[in-house]
């Protein structure tokens, strides 16, 4: 029996990339306001600084990774002593711009009629700061109380504990095949891949279902649960044709 539907946050529910870009642009503008040396620093430089530190700090809290990347960027213009101020510039703009994709709130409203909804993320997108306040029965954040990030099995165990159900009663929905599908299935959860970009599915990965939009999800979950008596609003697609055959 399906009891809970748990969602990844960034790039699943939240359109993060424009928000991060907006935050970096705000930092770059402030850097250039403070010193002429920042004229030689580009947005591409700030983006590459994230890439440079992420591999080394992948298991660290996302806020720590971002601050380390910003420190690297500020050093390019001799602004090393201004990390705290400019980190706040970044995070204020990033959260101001982080909002759900258009398909998210209608899907959650439909799903909530039947299933418990959860929110589970490796990142620092707090639901209440991203247009998702009061949408979920429970929220799980990596690094709270020592919780490791996905794909650690402890993360999914915490999800099931928060839901108060067994892993087989949980469906995990997310965009990342390794973290949101493969690792979730290894922990005993079922997994739906949200494939917004229409990417190809590797032959070694087999989600329980795949959708291109959350508008397809209610019907897909009815199929997974076998609960044919649950009514899907007429405005939703049937879910019979998804972007990937699984």
């Amino acid at each position: 029996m399906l009891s809970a539907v748990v969602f990844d946050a960034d790039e699943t529910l939240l359109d993060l990339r424009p928000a991060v870009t907006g935050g970096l642009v705000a930092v770059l503008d402030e850097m250039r306001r403070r010193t002429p040396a920042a004229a030689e620093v580009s947005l591409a430089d700030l983006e590459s600084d994230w890439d440079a530190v992420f591999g080394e700090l992948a298991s660290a809290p996302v806020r720590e990774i971002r601050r380390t990347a910003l420190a690297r960027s500020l050093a390019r213009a001799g602004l090393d002593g201004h990390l705290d101020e400019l980190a706040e510039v970044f995070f204020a703009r990033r959260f101001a711009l982080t909002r759900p994709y258009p398909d998210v709130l209608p899907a959650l409203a439909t799903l909530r009629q039947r299933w418990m909804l959860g929110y589970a993320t490796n990142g620092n997108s707090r639901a209440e700061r991203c247009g998702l306040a009061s949408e979920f029965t429970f929220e799980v954040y990596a690094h709270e109380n020592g919780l490791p990030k996905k794909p650690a099995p402890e993360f999914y165990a915490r999800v099931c504990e928060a839901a108060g159900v067994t892993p087989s009663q949980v469906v995990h929905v997310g965009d990342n095949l390794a973290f949101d599908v493969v690792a979730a299935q290894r922990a005993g959860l079922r997994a739906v891949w949200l494939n917004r970009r229409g990417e190809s599915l590797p032959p070694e990965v087999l989600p329980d279902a795949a959708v291109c939009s959350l508008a397809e999800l209610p019907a897909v979950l009815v199929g997974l649960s076998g609960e044919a008596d649950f009514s899907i609003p007429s405005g939703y697609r049937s879910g019979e044709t998804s972007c990937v055959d699984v």
Side-chain angles (χ1 to χ4, degrees), residues 49 53 57 63-73 83:
D49 288 334
V53 303
L57 299 175
R63 189 177 185 91
E64 178 183 325
I65 301 173
R66 178 57 67 187
R67 283 178 58 88
T68 302
L70 289 173
R72 183 183 175 102
S73 300
L83 176 59

Side-chain angles (χ1 to χ4, degrees), residues 15 17 58 63 86 106 121 136 142 146 173 190 198-199 201 203 236:
D15 192 3
R17 293 185 184 188
R63 189 177 185 91
L86 291 184
T121 178
F136 304 97
V173 182
R190 284 180 282 181
E199 299 172 348
L201 181 66
Y236 277 87

